[in-house]
Amino acid sequence: MRLYSLLYISRSTIAPSDAKEVVDQIIDTALDFNPSVGLTGALLFTGTYFAQVLEGDVAAIDELVEHISRDPRHDQMRIVDRSPLSKRRFADWSMAYFGPSNFVSRHVTRLLGDTSPAEQSRSAEWLTELMHEFSQGASAQL
């Protein structure tokens, strides 16, 4: 198996009043499904956007991304980074989750702007590393 990482961003279509319940359902589904296909990763929800890192076999990632792209809770999905990995960054997490944050929201929004490929790559790397740092400080696996 060749190990890959993918980072996507999508706009949430979830009503703010339903956000907690719906995001909890997304996390529960990921916790059940991801281990069965060898995926690990992290999900960030800003209240407006999702940012998710997926790690695993390219076929499993592609299948899940295709499913997410058809999910009515996501709109304007954009893959901002896809690259091979030598080792997993979220190996202990079937799906780490990070809730709304205005600070992180600004950085997610930056990835959606008209930036150069180099700036896009740096921003994607920064966001992935930030999510990794968050997962290191968390006390329990989701």
Side-chain angles (χ1 to χ4, degrees):
M1 172 179 83
R2 187 123 187 246
L3 190 60
Y4 277 84
S5 174
L6 180 136
L7 170 63
Y8 77 82
I9 295 176
S10 66
R11 180 180 295 274
S12 170
T13 63
I14 303 168
S17 60
D18 298 333
K20 181 174 179 357
E21 181 181 344
V22 173
V23 172
D24 285 349
Q25 290 170 354
I26 291 170
I27 295 300
D28 288 344
T29 299
L31 292 175
D32 288 340
F33 177 76
N34 290 1
S36 71
V37 295
L39 292 176
T40 57
L43 176 69
L44 185 142
F45 178 63
T46 69
T48 303
Y49 294 101
F50 289 100
Q52 185 171 19
V53 175
L54 296 168
E55 301 173 332
D57 180 72
V58 70
I61 290 173
D62 287 348
E63 184 177 321
L64 183 55
V65 167
E66 178 63 28
H67 176 77
I68 293 168
S69 72
R70 293 188 314 266
D71 187 323
R73 299 171 293 192
H74 297 266
D75 189 30
Q76 302 173 12
M77 183 179 195
R78 182 174 174 184
I79 295 172
V80 294
D81 185 56
R82 179 187 203 114
S83 54
L85 282 179
S86 57
K87 70 176 196 168
R88 293 178 190 259
R89 289 171 286 204
F90 300 96
D92 295 333
W93 294 88
S94 55
M95 186 50 58
Y97 171 69
F98 315 107
S101 161
N102 289 329
F103 170 73
V104 175
S105 181
R106 287 191 304 270
H107 293 284
V108 170
T109 304
R110 181 185 304 159
L111 281 168
L112 297 171
D114 291 329
T115 59
S116 72
E119 290 172 344
Q120 192 86 27
S121 179
R122 280 192 300 276
S123 292
E125 184 177 326
W126 183 89
L127 183 59
T128 301
E129 286 303 314
L130 180 64
M131 293 168 81
H132 181 252
E133 288 294 319
F134 285 165
S135 72
Q136 297 299 305
S139 60
Q141 178 174 334
L142 294 180

